[in-house]
């Protein structure tokens, strides 16, 4: 489904008032950034999987891949003092042919360096070498594991995905990933398998740790919950299953002003594969580039202007503000995670 159609559908939701109105009513102001700590880079839409919950609509047939020139521009921006975290996502980031080089360069900057990997790809011969590249550059690896049961995970990520993720976790554990004391960091993102909000983050983390260790002998550091965003393939799933209106009404009903104050776009800038700037990866997939007169291409990046920019919002933003809040770092309500 193209972005215009997605925006039309999101805008026509009948179960709630517009997010803009809701936010401005609760916070008495427009949503605006306060800083840029996180540089999130989407290095391409190509992926070895085609997960049902994917907001990127990624898959093996996608051809969009970030060039070395754009990655070089990202590296220059990452050097700025205000940026403390470089967060790499996709698609499957490993399918960008420049990723290895980029990580070696970014690893020298002494910043928090994150790669969001589906892990399944690390079992393929052509990509297995990334385990050493990650360890060498102290990359934090984050992977999506919707369920600690194989059927729940396989339903979202494809047949056999659970077993392969566990296999890859074992390889990472052997490289000192996921152990508590001064280890390399391996985190899990949990998202609900159905059309409902995630459960309590801390309780889920404890349950995942227990089940994954006792049943599979693997360990990880932290678990973060993320709400499924009504964007991309997940929006199509909601529409096809007849759950769209109910899901949106549920998100709207669970609107939390505290979560709304802490949405990740207030401290993040997101870069698309072609160098376009967005407020977050979700806006990126809806084609909503930074606006309100801001420089919107990486070659024109200006941190002074962008750090206080007004955020481009829409009804999909209810996904970040429901319940205990949702972001690429999990719950956003302080104390809830
Ligand atoms: S959710 Fe991640 S692993 Fe799955 S298709 Fe999308 S980008 Fe690929
Ligand atoms: S969807 Fe993006 S722009 Fe909207 S609240 Fe979430 S992070 Fe901010």
């Amino acid at each position: 489904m193209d972005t215009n159609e997605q925006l039309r559908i999101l805008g026509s939701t009948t179960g709630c008032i517009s997010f803009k109105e809701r936010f401005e009513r609760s916070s008495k102001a427009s949503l605006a950034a306060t800083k840029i700590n996180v540089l999130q880079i989407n290095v391409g839409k190509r992926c070895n999987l085609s997960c049902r919950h994917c907001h990127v609509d990624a898959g093996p047939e996608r051809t969009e891949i970030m060039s070395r020139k754009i990655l070089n521009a990202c590296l220059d921006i990452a050097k700025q003092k205000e940026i403390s975290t470089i967060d790499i996502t996709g698609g499957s980031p490993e399918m960008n042919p420049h990723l290895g080089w980029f990580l070696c360069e970014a690893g020298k900057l002494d910043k928090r360096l994150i790669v969001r990997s589906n892990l399944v790809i690390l079992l393929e011969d052509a990509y297995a070498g990334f385990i050493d590249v990650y360890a060498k550059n102290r990359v934090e690896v984050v992977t999506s594991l919707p369920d600690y049961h194989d059927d729940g995970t396989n339903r979202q990520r494809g047949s056999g995905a659970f077993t392969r993720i566990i296999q890859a976790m074992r390889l990472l554990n052997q490289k000192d990933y996921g152990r508590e004391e001064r280890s390399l960091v391996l985190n899990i993102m949990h998202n609900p398998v159905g059309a409902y909000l995630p459960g309590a983050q801390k309780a889920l983390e404890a349950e995942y740790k227990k089940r994954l260790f006792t049943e599979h002998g693997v360990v990880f550091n932290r678990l973060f919950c993320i709400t499924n965003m009504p964007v991309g393939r997940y929006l199509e799933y909601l529409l096809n299953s007849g759950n769209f209106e109910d899901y949106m009404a549920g998100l709207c009903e669970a609107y939390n002003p505290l979560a709304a104050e802490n949405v990740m776009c207030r401290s993040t800038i997101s870069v698309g594969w072609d160098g376009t700037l967005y407020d977050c990866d979700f806006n990126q997939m809806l084609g909503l580039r930074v606006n309100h007169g801001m420089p919107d291409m990486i070659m024109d990046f200006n941190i002074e202007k962008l750090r206080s920019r007004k955020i481009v919002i829409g009804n999909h933003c209810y996904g970040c503000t429901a319940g205990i809040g949702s972001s690429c770092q999990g719950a956003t309500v302080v104390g809830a995670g």
Side-chain angles (χ1 to χ4, degrees):
M1 195 188 317
D2 69 25
T3 52
N4 286 337
E5 181 63 0
Q6 291 186 58
L7 289 168
R8 188 194 65 71
I9 291 165
L10 287 162
S12 67
T13 311
T14 55
C16 52
I17 61 168
S18 80
F19 179 82
K20 182 175 186 300
E21 201 180 331
R22 189 68 174 270
F23 181 87
E24 290 178 0
R25 223 186 258 175
S26 72
S27 88
K28 314 270 183 277
S30 302
L31 182 58
T34 56
K35 58 190 170 191
I36 301 180
N37 288 159
V38 180
L39 176 67
Q40 190 170 64
I41 309 168
N42 191 312
V43 297
K45 296 184 180 178
R46 190 176 300 162
C47 191
N48 54 321
L49 303 182
S50 302
C51 306
R52 193 177 74 179
H53 65 296
C54 186
H55 70 275
V56 179
D57 220 356
E61 75 292 347
R62 300 299 296 249
T63 54
E64 302 92 328
I65 290 287
M66 186 175 276
S67 68
R68 188 144 169 161
K69 186 175 168 200
I70 304 286
L71 280 165
N72 246 318
C74 291
L75 211 47
D76 281 344
I77 288 161
K79 289 174 187 160
Q80 300 197 24
K81 207 167 155 221
E82 189 167 325
I83 308 283
S84 58
T85 300
I86 306 162
D87 184 343
I88 299 165
T89 187
S92 177
E94 293 89 347
M95 295 183 97
N96 182 309
H98 311 295
L99 184 71
W101 159 79
F102 182 83
L103 292 176
C104 292
E105 293 305 312
K108 296 174 193 160
L109 300 180
D110 200 23
K111 312 241 174 181
R112 187 175 176 209
L113 186 53
I114 299 171
V115 172
R116 297 179 187 274
S117 170
N118 62 48
L119 296 195
V120 171
I121 198 162
L122 299 179
L123 300 182
E124 293 185 21
D125 287 348
Y127 301 101
F130 274 106
I131 294 179
D132 285 332
V133 176
Y134 292 159
K136 187 169 167 230
N137 294 289
R138 300 199 67 78
V139 171
E140 282 187 34
V141 177
V142 181
T143 196
S144 160
L145 189 67
D147 200 337
Y148 48 72
H149 294 115
D150 55 0
D151 55 343
T153 291
N154 291 345
R155 238 182 298 144
Q156 281 209 1
R157 315 212 73 184
S159 171
F162 181 83
T163 305
R164 286 183 283 163
I165 292 168
I166 296 294
Q167 261 176 279
M169 285 181 74
R170 221 168 262 139
L171 295 175
L172 287 164
N173 287 166
Q174 284 165 12
K175 293 282 175 187
D176 206 25
Y177 266 97
R179 305 184 188 283
E180 288 303 328
E181 289 292 315
R182 294 210 309 260
S183 69
L184 295 165
V185 176
L186 172 60
N187 291 332
I188 285 178
M189 297 299 301
H190 158 84
N191 60 289
V193 175
Y196 46 85
L197 286 174
Q201 192 165 272
K202 274 216 162 84
L204 274 165
E205 180 180 287
E207 191 61 16
Y208 265 69
K209 284 197 168 184
K210 191 171 92 190
R211 302 293 287 253
L212 292 183
F213 183 68
T214 54
E215 292 169 23
H216 305 285
V218 294
V219 290
F220 65 95
N221 296 97
R222 297 287 319 276
L223 174 138
F224 300 119
C225 290
I226 190 162
T227 301
N228 289 312
M229 293 297 280
V231 174
R233 209 173 282 139
Y234 194 72
L235 175 58
E236 283 185 41
Y237 157 73
L238 289 172
L239 291 165
N240 293 339
S241 60
N243 280 312
F244 175 67
E245 284 297 343
D246 283 352
Y247 189 68
M248 291 304 291
L251 293 181
C252 181
E253 202 177 305
Y255 178 81
N256 182 345
L258 286 176
E261 289 306 315
N262 294 326
V263 282
M264 64 181 170
C265 47
R266 302 195 98 163
S267 55
T268 302
I269 194 87
S270 157
V271 189
W273 69 276
D274 61 353
T276 305
L277 302 177
Y278 302 89
D279 296 303
C280 70
D281 204 57
F282 307 119
N283 280 10
Q284 186 173 144
M285 299 316 148
L286 288 169
L288 299 171
R289 51 178 64 201
V290 292
N291 206 338
H292 311 291
M294 287 294 119
D296 63 3
M297 293 302 293
I298 190 132
M299 298 306 178
D300 305 318
F301 189 88
N302 180 325
I303 204 161
E304 277 75 31
K305 285 187 179 171
L306 287 162
R307 76 158 68 88
S308 55
R309 72 194 184 279
K310 246 175 100 176
I311 307 288
V312 179
I313 54 178
N315 287 346
H316 60 293
C317 298
Y318 275 119
C320 294
T321 58
I324 56 173
S326 172
S327 76
C328 291
Q329 302 294 332
T332 58
V333 174
V334 180

